[in-house]
Amino acid sequence: GENVEQHPSTLSVQEGDSAVIKCTYSDSASNYFPWYKQELGKGPQLIIDIRSNVGEKKDQRIAVTLNKTAKHFSLHITETQPEDSAVYFCAASKPGRRALTFGSGTRLQVQP
Amino acid sequence: DTAVSQTPKYLVTQMGNDKSIKCEQNLGHDTMYWYKQDSKKFLKIMFSYNNKELIINETVPNRFSPKSPDKAHLNLHINSLELGDSAVYFCASSPTGSLSTNEKLFFGSGTQLSVL
C-alpha cells in the first residue's frame, strides 16, 4: 500500500522566517496531495492541496510544490507568524482509494 | 453549528471495558471515516463508510466495530479495551469519498481515549 514519509518531525523558526516541510510517497499512481494543519485540541483542517498535473500552487503565504518524478512534495510557509504554530500533515491519495494516507506530521513552532 | 461532532471528547476507562464513541455530521456528506491518532501524532485510517456501507476496514482488530445507522452517523464500539487502544480517535466526513478529486476531509475535534 501507499507509504508517505514526512520530514522533519519538529521544526522551530523565528517569526518572519520561512518554513519548509517535505514529504515523499511510494505509490506512483497517487495523484492528489493535500496538506492539513492541526491546532492543539482540534481536528486537522485542510490548508492547501495539489494534483499531480500541477507542479506548484500558492495561496497567500503558503505554497506547495510537487515533483512527480522524484515522488516528492513540499509545503512552504513564508513570513511565518506565531499562529502558524501547529502540527502539519501531508497526505496522498489515488483514484479508487477512498481514504487519505497521512505522513507522520511535523510540529512547527514559530518563536515570536 | 459544528459540522462534524463526536462525543465524548474525553473517555477514561479500565482495561477490559466496552465503550462507544458517537459521530454525527450535518454536511449532507455520503462518506464518513474513523481515524486513529497515536501518541506520536500518526494518523491512520481505520474505517470508511459510504451511505451506510463499509468501504474500508484497515486491519483493525475485530474488537472495533463501526456502525452506521444512517449516512449522517458513524459510531465506533470497542470491546475488551486494551492499554494500546489509548489514542485520539477522529471522525471525519467527505462529500462522496472520491478523495483523489480534491474532495476535502472534514474532521471532528477528536475523542481522547485513555485506557488504564
Side-chain angles (χ1 to χ4, degrees), chain B residues 14-74:
Chain B
Q14 299 286 334
M15 256 175 36
N17 283 352
D18 303 338
K19 291 292 178 186
S20 292
I21 308 171
K22 296 186 176 182
C23 180
E24 175 181 3
Q25 52 96 3
N26 62 5
L27 298 166
H29 290 169
D30 287 344
T31 306
M32 295 185 73
Y33 310 79
W34 279 109
Y35 275 85
K36 179 180 179 181
Q37 186 171 47
D38 63 23
S39 58
K40 295 184 179 179
K41 297 292 185 185
F42 192 62
L43 264 172
K44 189 170 169 57
I45 180 74
M46 298 174 70
F47 301 103
S48 168
Y49 269 73
N50 182 268
N51 262 321
K52 303 191 296 176
E53 182 186 343
L54 180 66
I55 301 296
I56 292 177
N57 181 344
E58 290 277 311
T59 59
V60 177
N62 57 16
R63 298 182 295 104
F64 290 78
S65 51
K67 281 193 171 50
S68 183
D70 54 61
K71 73 174 193 177
H73 295 84
L74 180 61

Side-chain angles (χ1 to χ4, degrees), chain B residues 56-102:
Chain B
I56 292 177
N57 181 344
E58 290 277 311
T59 59
V60 177
N62 57 16
R63 298 182 295 104
F64 290 78
S65 51
K67 281 193 171 50
S68 183
D70 54 61
K71 73 174 193 177
H73 295 84
L74 180 61
N75 304 321
L76 184 65
H77 187 77
I78 315 169
N79 288 328
S80 304
L81 278 155
E82 300 178 357
L83 293 176
D85 297 332
S86 296
V88 181
Y89 292 83
F90 285 100
C91 177
S93 73
S94 69
T96 69
S98 299
L99 294 171
S100 63
T101 58
N102 297 44

Side-chain angles (χ1 to χ4, degrees), chain A residues 3-4 31-32 36 38 40-46 49-51 57 87 89 93-105 107, chain B residues 9 31 33 35 37 40-45 48 50 55-56 58 88 90 96-110:
Chain A
N3 185 42
V4 178
N31 67 340
Y32 175 59
Y36 281 76
Q38 185 178 18
L40 196 61
K42 297 184 180 179
Q45 283 196 303
L46 179 72
D49 54 17
I50 192 168
R51 287 181 61 84
K57 184 176 177 181
V87 179
F89 291 94
S93 186
K94 63 180 181 181
R97 169 75 173 153
R98 286 174 168 260
L100 292 178
T101 300
F102 283 90
S104 52
R107 185 179 296 278
Chain B
K9 190 166 176 64
T31 306
Y33 310 79
Y35 275 85
Q37 186 171 47
K40 295 184 179 179
K41 297 292 185 185
F42 192 62
L43 264 172
K44 189 170 169 57
I45 180 74
S48 168
N50 182 268
I55 301 296
I56 292 177
E58 290 277 311
V88 181
F90 285 100
T96 69
S98 299
L99 294 171
S100 63
T101 58
N102 297 44
E103 269 197 10
K104 184 176 168 180
L105 264 185
F106 291 78
F107 281 89
S109 55

Side-chain angles (χ1 to χ4, degrees), chain A:
Chain A
E2 174 71 278
N3 185 42
V4 178
E5 294 193 359
Q6 182 171 347
H7 301 281
S9 57
T10 59
L11 180 59
S12 182
V13 299
Q14 289 294 125
E15 184 176 357
D17 287 350
S18 295
V20 181
I21 303 170
K22 299 181 179 182
C23 289
T24 57
Y25 60 98
S26 60
D27 192 336
S28 56
S30 291
N31 67 340
Y32 175 59
F33 307 94
W35 286 86
Y36 281 76
K37 176 184 180 183
Q38 185 178 18
E39 296 177 343
L40 196 61
K42 297 184 180 179
Q45 283 196 303
L46 179 72
I47 54 170
I48 195 168
D49 54 17
I50 192 168
R51 287 181 61 84
S52 58
N53 58 350
V54 175
E56 184 173 356
K57 184 176 177 181
K58 195 171 180 181
D59 182 5
Q60 299 183 339
R61 295 187 298 108
I62 59 173
V64 57
T65 58
L66 171 65
N67 182 329
K68 278 193 302 183
T69 304
K71 289 191 275 188
H72 169 267
F73 59 113
S74 301
L75 177 72
H76 304 252
I77 306 174
T78 58
E79 300 172 28
T80 53
Q81 300 166 4
E83 52 264 37
D84 294 330
S85 296
V87 179
Y88 291 81
F89 291 94
C90 62
S93 186
K94 63 180 181 181
R97 169 75 173 153
R98 286 174 168 260
L100 292 178
T101 300
F102 283 90
S104 52
T106 296
R107 185 179 296 278
L108 174 64
Q109 184 74 38
V110 180
Q111 306 288 349

